[in-house]
Amino acid sequence: MSDLSKRLREPLVLTVLIIAVAGWLAFFAMWINSFGEADRLSGEITTLTAQRDEANRVLDQREQTDGSIEALTTELAALEAQRTEATAGLETATATFQSRQDELDTLTETLATRTEEAATAEKALADATTRTEELAGRQAALQTEIDSSEQQLNDVGTRLEDARRQEQTATANLAQIATEAASATASLAETQSQLQAARSELTTTQQQLADASAQTEAAGAQLATLQSQVSELETRRDALERDVAGYEQQLATLQPQVEELTANLAQRSSELEAVEGEIAQAIPAPTAAAPSDAPADMAASGTYRVLAEGQGNGISLALSEDGSFDMQDRLSRTVSGRYTMSADQLVLSDATGRMGNASFPMTCPVEQDETGLSIGDAPDCALSGLRFDRVEPEATP
């Protein structure tokens, strides 16, 4: 019985102590590692957030600068979208890390609960072992009493009945002790089963802690990848900012040249207009003459109007004897200038004003008769195909 008690007591106690020490060591190692990793990741996230805010501030200042080139602005917007996507990935990784931290806290609480249950099971096992030892001592004492009773029975015949009664009592006590021993054995077996279940749960909890550590390492790797992408985007942004600065410098260099060329062009235009005015003043004013083959009583001067229906309806042309002309359409747009008339050609020049797509000087083939003028087809003649009928001057609008 003493050997059995030793076999029941020593391995279980050593095993429970070893498991408890190993569990607490693993828990403290994981706890220290997880909090150190969390502090490091929090510091990196804070640094990245500050860098992202600084990049946003620089980009905002760059967007407010005038003279940015449209293509570079578009590319900067694309980089901004990529930066936003990288920031979203960083926030996702942060959320994943926080979720893993919550799972680690939950597993830590579960480990503490399992440790308390193991301690309870250890206490129950110690109580059962103590009770078993007590029952073993009682059984040994009863066995001693039985031996003494048998000796007394052999020595004293007169005490046979007492011995038999004592033997019956001892037998009953022995049966009770056997029953209590069986109950203690069953309780011990149940305690061992509970201890085994606690060991299994402890193993599962340790595996969950290992999985959480692996997931935390994966989240750290993903965070490092996102940091690399953010660094690459910032490098590209700096290169684009340098390009924009170069283009702005080129623009600042070329802008004075463009302004100087514009001033020169305006000056040349003024000089050209002055020369054209001098040429116009130097040319003597022509007078309209009747064609040699026209009737003697017909002159080119007079007022003419397009009376036929069509796009040119309502256009009036007044040819003065001093060689000037006035032309007006039905929208009251007018053109004035000089004209020359020959037997088959009408030339309008030195025009001021605007009428549709007409350009001057304008040379048009013409046929004269007693009632008006018929304009022929010519590439630069805006009056091609029109018939001008002579009208009274007072009918001119």
Side-chain angles (χ1 to χ4, degrees):
M1 293 300 291
S2 177
D3 293 338
L4 177 61
S5 298
K6 291 180 180 180
R7 284 195 301 269
L8 291 175
R9 182 174 66 254
E10 295 178 358
L12 291 175
V13 173
L14 291 176
T15 301
V16 170
L17 289 175
I18 290 171
I19 291 173
V21 171
W24 279 108
L25 289 175
F27 168 73
F28 280 115
M30 291 300 299
W31 182 75
I32 294 172
N33 187 24
S34 64
F35 273 90
E37 186 69 15
D39 293 337
R40 186 180 66 79
L41 290 177
S42 298
E44 292 180 357
I45 290 171
T46 303
T47 302
L48 285 175
T49 303
Q51 293 177 356
R52 181 193 63 190
D53 295 338
E54 180 64 20
N56 286 333
R57 186 184 64 78
V58 173
L59 286 177
D60 291 338
Q61 293 178 355
R62 179 57 57 189
E63 288 174 357
Q64 294 174 0
T65 304
D66 294 335
S68 296
I69 299 173
E70 183 178 357
L72 292 177
T73 303
T74 303
E75 188 169 358
L76 284 174
L79 288 177
E80 180 65 19
Q82 294 179 5
R83 182 184 64 78
T84 303
E85 182 179 355
T87 303
L90 180 63
E91 293 176 354
T92 303
T94 303
T96 303
F97 172 75
Q98 186 62 38
S99 176
R100 296 294 181 269
Q101 184 65 35
D102 294 339
E103 293 180 359
L104 182 62
D105 295 338
T106 302
L107 292 175
T108 302
E109 294 177 357
T110 304
L111 179 62
T113 303
R114 296 293 181 268
T115 303
E116 292 178 358
E117 294 178 353
T120 303
E122 291 176 3
K123 183 177 180 181
L125 178 62
D127 294 340
T129 302
T130 302
R131 186 173 179 81
T132 302
E133 292 176 352
E134 292 177 354
L135 293 175
R138 290 180 60 187
Q139 186 176 8
L142 290 174
Q143 186 65 37
T144 302
E145 291 180 0
I146 291 173
D147 294 339
S148 177
S149 298
E150 289 179 351
Q151 183 63 35
Q152 292 176 3
L153 181 63
N154 293 327
D155 293 341
V156 182
T158 58
R159 300 176 59 186
L160 180 59
E161 295 297 330
D162 294 335
R164 289 178 179 177
R165 286 193 298 269
Q166 291 177 0
E167 183 180 3
Q168 291 177 356
T169 301
T171 302
N173 291 334
L174 183 61
Q176 182 179 0
I177 291 171
T179 300
E180 293 178 355
S183 177
T185 302
S187 177
L188 181 62
E190 182 179 359
T191 302
Q192 289 177 347
S193 177
Q194 293 177 356
L195 182 61
Q196 185 64 33
R199 290 174 182 174
S200 299
E201 291 179 357
L202 182 62
T203 302
T204 302
T205 303
Q206 291 175 349
Q207 183 63 37
Q208 291 176 352
L209 286 173
D211 294 339
S213 299
Q215 292 174 357
T216 303
E217 293 177 358
Q222 184 178 5
L223 182 61
T225 302
L226 291 174
Q227 291 173 351
S228 177
Q229 294 177 356
V230 170
S231 177
E232 181 180 356
L233 291 175
E234 290 178 350
T235 302
R236 292 183 61 188
R237 183 200 62 199
D238 295 338
L240 286 174
E241 289 179 352
R242 289 193 296 271
D243 293 340
V244 170
Y247 283 122
E248 289 178 350
Q249 185 177 3
Q250 293 179 4
L251 181 61
T253 303
L254 294 175
Q255 185 66 29
Q257 299 177 6
V258 173
E259 293 176 355
E260 182 179 358
L261 291 174
T262 302
N264 291 334
L265 181 59
Q267 183 178 358
R268 295 294 185 271
S269 298
S270 299
E271 293 176 355
L272 181 59
E273 291 178 356
V275 171
E276 289 178 349
E278 293 176 358
I279 293 174
Q281 292 177 0
I283 296 175
T287 56
S292 59
D293 55 352
D297 59 346
M298 180 178 180
S301 61
T303 302
Y304 303 87
R305 178 180 291 180
V306 178
L307 301 178
E309 296 295 332
Q311 185 177 0
N313 178 260
I315 297 177
S316 65
L317 177 62
L319 302 176
S320 302
E321 294 180 356
D322 61 358
S324 63
F325 78 91
D326 293 291
M327 186 165 54
Q328 183 177 15
D329 63 5
R330 57 186 175 183
L331 299 177
S332 298
R333 294 178 296 185
T334 61
V335 176
S336 301
R338 310 293 298 178
Y339 81 95
T340 58
M341 175 75 79
S342 64
D344 58 357
Q345 183 173 273
L346 173 64
V347 179
L348 305 178
S349 62
D350 299 334
T352 58
R354 183 175 179 274
M355 181 183 296
N357 59 355
S359 61
F360 300 91
M362 180 189 300
T363 302
C364 301
V366 64
E367 293 182 4
Q368 302 182 58
D369 56 30
E370 296 179 354
T371 60
L373 306 174
S374 296
I375 308 299
D377 292 333
D380 297 329
C381 181
L383 306 176
S384 297
L386 297 180
R387 170 67 183 181
F388 285 86
D389 294 318
R390 186 184 291 270
V391 297
E392 297 297 329
E394 61 270 16
T396 303

